[in-house]
């Protein structure tokens, strides 16, 4: 495995620990210049023939899908293994995204690591800097694989200098969920949900009565990142860390202060309940009919609609933004698949064959319907399975439209930095400080920006 080009080993360990041990868990279901990620691994050849092997090539896939999602992963693997005889994939659950990355770090100088690993989107900068991967683009080029069949706004997050480093796997973004019955009772039109900060605030006042709150949004750094993108505003300097490596956090700019002030005003006037950092808590309050509006992942849609069945009708709307905001949209969340470069060419090619299987319309249709994640393949929407699911859960059309209507730019492509997990925690602390009155929104975000910028500087010193 190729090691990081470190200026000092002490700084290298600091950077790895910053990323891996301080990272927060993904709350929603649940990214630099390409030159830093070029590897010396041989380019996979389109003529590599795994069929010539006497035995099937074995591919070890580390993933972080537990519970029902884990069962869905096992089904995908079983279907692939049954579909051909040249590659055998073995899926190994490695705990949370953070735990899996810790294990990968420990295996970097050995052969004990995986052939393929699922990494959350905010680990993208680290994965590229690690030089532990063979960019997926090499296999795409060798096979002349048509990337145009995949969703552009999903692929863009994982592209750097127009090179694809990993293949999107589980993808989601946030939407507004609202209680249509509570809207009717408050004299609001349930078919015309609020779409701006101002409309949310007005609706929340009308909905806050009889001991119930008009809204509740979890204190989640992912939401702040999305609020920036939806205003067409970059979260980091240097093109969101994509033109060149980021050196400064911009979380304390006008977009950030405006967002946090809007949020705090609703908490202060008791039209939005502060239930803390967990989306599970806001979801429970929403399903209990205690709050009328909440933000959550598109991957939670089926669970929320099913949970409200027999109690109230669930409506969905796009992520809100200020009325005077520029064009923007949402950034994809979730995770992607990386091929490790310390494995044989045949094993890497086997991992690529599995990835191609995962991108087929039929596979993506099944994955979408059974998990709630977006299909990454456009033609998956033509599958009857998806059409039937959309008829059952029409609320998902909001998510589809929001993704497709997102304006492509550096803001919506998503920010990238090597200390993203810790940065999220820092932003969450700042939001908490503002909502609880410990600091004014600008002061809280100024402190967060300073701290994140310092963390970025420390990380950047560890890589050339």
């Amino acid at each position: 495995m190729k090691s990081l080009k470190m200026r000092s080993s002490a700084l290298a360990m600091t950077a790895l620990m910053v990323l891996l041990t301080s990272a927060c868990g993904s709350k929603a279901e649940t990214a630099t210049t390409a030159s830093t990620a070029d590897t010396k691994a041989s380019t996979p050849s389109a003529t590599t023939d795994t069929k010539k092997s006497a035995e099937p090539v074995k591919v070890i896939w580390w993933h972080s899908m537990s519970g029902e999602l884990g069962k869905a992963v096992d089904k995908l693997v079983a279907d692939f293994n049954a579909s051909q005889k040249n590659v055998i994939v073995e899926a190994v659950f490695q705990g949370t995204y953070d735990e899996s990355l810790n294990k990968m770090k420990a295996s970097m100088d050995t052969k004990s690591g995986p052939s393929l690993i699922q990494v959350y989107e905010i680990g993208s900068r680290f994965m590229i800097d690690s030089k532990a991967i063979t960019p997926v683009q090499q296999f795409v080029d060798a096979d002349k694989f048509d990337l145009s069949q995949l969703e552009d706004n999903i692929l863009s997050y994982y592209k750097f200098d127009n090179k694809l480093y990993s293949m999107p796997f589980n993808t989601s973004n946030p939407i507004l969920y609202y209680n249509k019955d509570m809207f009717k009772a408050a004299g609001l039109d349930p078919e015309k949900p609020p779409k701006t900060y101002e409309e949310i605030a007005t609706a929340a006042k009308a909905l806050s009565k009889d001991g119930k709150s008009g809204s509740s949004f979890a204190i989640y750094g992912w939401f702040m990142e999305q609020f920036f993108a939806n205003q067409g505003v970059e979260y980091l300097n240097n093109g969101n860390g994509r033109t060149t490596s980021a050196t400064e956090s911009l979380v304390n700019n006008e977009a950030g202060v405006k967002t946090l002030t809007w949020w705090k005003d609703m908490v202060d006037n008791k039209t939005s309940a502060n239930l803390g950092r967990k989306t599970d808590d806001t979801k429970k309050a929403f399903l209990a009919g205690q709050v009328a509006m909440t933000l959550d992942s598109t991957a939670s849609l089926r669970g929320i609609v099913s949970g409200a069945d027999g109690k109230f009708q669930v409506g969905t709307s796009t992520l809100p933004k200020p009325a005077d905001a520029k064009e923007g949209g949402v950034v994809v969340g979730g995770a992607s698949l990386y091929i490790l470069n310390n494995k044989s060419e045949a094993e890497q090619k086997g991992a690529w064959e599995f990835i191609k299987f995962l991108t087929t319309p039929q596979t993506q249709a099944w994955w979408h319907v059974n998990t709630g994640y977006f299909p990454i393949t456009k033609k998956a929407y033509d599958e009857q399975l998806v059409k039937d699911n959309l008829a059952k859960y029409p609320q998902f059309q909001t998510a589809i439209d929001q993704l497709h209507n997102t304006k492509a730019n550096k803001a919506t492509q998503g920010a990238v930095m090597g200390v993203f997990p810790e940065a999220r925690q820092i932003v969450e602390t700042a939001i908490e400080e503002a909502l609880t009155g410990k600091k004014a929104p600008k002061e809280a975000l100024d402190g967060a920006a300073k701290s994140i910028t310092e963390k970025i500087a420390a990380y950047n010193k560890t890589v050339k």
Side-chain angles (χ1 to χ4, degrees):
M1 182 71 69
K2 299 171 181 61
S3 61
L4 286 168
K5 294 182 180 178
M6 300 298 179
R7 294 183 182 177
S8 74
S9 58
L11 280 171
M13 185 57 69
T14 299
L16 287 169
M17 292 307 291
V18 162
L19 177 73
L20 301 173
T21 61
S22 67
C24 62
S26 177
K27 298 180 186 175
E29 288 299 322
T30 150
T32 89
T33 56
S35 60
T36 62
D38 291 336
T39 70
K40 296 179 182 178
S42 59
T43 302
S45 169
T47 61
T48 299
D49 190 353
T50 57
K51 294 181 181 179
K52 293 179 181 178
S53 302
E55 297 293 331
V57 173
K58 187 173 184 180
V59 171
I60 303 297
W61 175 27
W62 284 7
H63 69 87
S64 298
M65 302 276 91
S66 60
E68 292 302 311
L69 293 175
K71 292 178 183 178
V73 160
D74 290 341
K75 175 70 162 53
L76 293 179
V77 169
D79 287 351
F80 172 74
N81 289 341
S83 72
Q84 45 74 56
K85 298 180 180 179
N86 302 313
V87 182
I88 295 177
V89 173
E90 180 183 338
V92 183
F93 175 68
Q94 293 291 352
T96 66
Y97 291 131
D98 298 313
E99 290 167 344
S100 182
L101 265 178
N102 269 312
K103 292 174 184 177
M104 193 202 89
K105 171 194 132 182
S107 73
M108 283 178 70
D109 294 324
T110 73
K111 296 289 186 179
S112 63
S115 324
L116 187 68
I117 185 170
Q118 177 194 21
V119 178
Y120 55 1
E121 85 281 19
I122 58 173
S124 298
R125 173 77 263 184
F126 168 76
M127 290 301 292
I128 293 172
D129 288 342
S130 75
K131 295 184 171 59
I133 64 169
T134 300
V136 165
Q137 189 69 47
Q138 293 189 24
F139 300 93
V140 168
D141 293 343
D143 262 3
K144 294 181 171 54
F145 183 80
D146 183 11
L147 288 178
S148 69
Q149 64 185 296
L150 307 181
E151 291 278 6
D152 296 333
N153 285 343
I154 295 177
L155 282 179
S156 66
Y157 189 99
Y158 301 102
K159 278 186 175 181
F160 303 87
D161 290 344
N162 206 36
K163 180 189 289 188
L164 187 65
Y165 281 80
S166 59
M167 184 62 75
F169 178 54
N170 51 306
T171 301
S172 62
N173 53 50
I175 56 175
L176 179 77
Y177 293 86
Y178 66 97
N179 185 321
K180 286 189 171 184
D181 293 25
M182 290 180 70
F183 266 60
K184 290 178 185 176
L188 302 175
D189 187 343
E191 304 307 321
K192 292 183 179 179
K195 296 183 180 297
T196 67
Y197 286 0
E198 295 82 357
E199 290 173 355
I200 289 280
T202 298
K205 287 181 181 179
L207 291 160
S208 296
K209 58 183 180 179
D210 301 326
K212 298 179 181 179
S213 182
S215 62
S216 183
F217 310 134
I219 299 173
Y220 189 11
W222 189 51
F223 291 158
M224 183 62 84
E225 297 153 29
Q226 297 287 351
F227 284 136
F228 266 68
N230 208 25
Q231 297 176 62
V233 178
E234 293 167 14
Y235 204 61
L236 299 169
N237 72 342
N238 296 336
N240 241 354
R242 289 178 177 274
T243 304
T244 58
S245 295
T247 59
E248 182 184 2
S249 167
L250 305 179
V251 72
N252 60 333
N253 68 12
E254 182 183 356
V257 175
K258 179 180 289 187
T259 296
L260 191 50
T261 300
W262 160 73
W263 196 342
K264 175 178 168 54
D265 285 348
M266 289 194 295
V267 170
D268 286 350
N269 64 30
K270 302 189 186 309
T271 60
S272 187
N274 176 12
L275 300 179
R277 300 191 184 195
K278 296 180 179 180
T279 53
D280 276 352
D281 291 335
T282 52
K283 188 185 306 179
K284 288 175 183 176
F286 179 73
L287 290 176
Q290 293 302 307
V291 300
M293 297 181 288
T294 192
L295 294 176
D296 214 311
S297 168
T298 52
S300 299
L301 189 147
R302 186 167 64 173
I304 289 175
V305 174
S306 298
D309 189 36
K311 295 188 290 185
F312 61 87
Q313 280 191 307
V314 175
T316 54
S317 185
T318 52
L319 188 74
K321 62 181 179 180
D324 61 353
K326 296 188 298 183
E327 282 189 296
V330 288
V331 181
V332 298
S336 64
L337 303 180
Y338 289 86
I339 296 175
L340 281 297
N341 66 11
N342 69 333
K343 302 300 179 182
S344 69
E345 186 173 331
E347 197 169 328
Q348 292 184 52
K349 179 64 175 176
W352 168 242
E353 291 300 320
F354 177 55
I355 285 175
K356 286 195 295 184
F357 168 82
L358 294 177
T359 66
T360 63
Q362 297 80 10
T363 302
Q364 281 298 302
W366 186 90
W367 174 249
H368 161 65
V369 169
N370 285 275
T371 64
Y373 290 115
F374 281 107
I376 68 167
T377 305
K378 297 172 184 175
K379 287 187 177 179
Y381 289 105
D382 295 333
E383 295 291 314
Q384 192 59 46
L385 187 65
V386 174
K387 292 178 180 179
D388 292 343
N389 188 70
L390 191 56
K392 185 175 181 181
Y393 300 102
Q395 296 93 339
F396 199 80
Q397 189 64 50
T398 297
I400 296 170
D401 293 343
Q402 179 174 254
L403 177 68
H404 291 166
N405 291 335
T406 289
K407 180 178 175 59
N409 53 39
K410 287 290 191 296
T412 59
Q413 193 176 8
V416 285
M417 55 179 151
V419 293
F420 219 141
E422 189 171 10
R424 275 192 179 172
Q425 289 188 333
I426 292 169
V427 170
E428 287 167 9
T429 296
I431 295 171
E432 207 166 50
E433 289 172 339
L435 297 189
T436 56
K438 292 181 180 178
K439 293 181 179 179
K442 182 68 164 64
E443 180 188 5
L445 292 177
D446 281 345
K450 181 175 183 295
S451 181
I452 294 169
T453 297
E454 290 170 353
K455 301 293 182 186
I456 292 173
Y459 175 86
N460 287 347
K461 287 179 181 178
T462 69
V463 290
K464 291 183 179 179

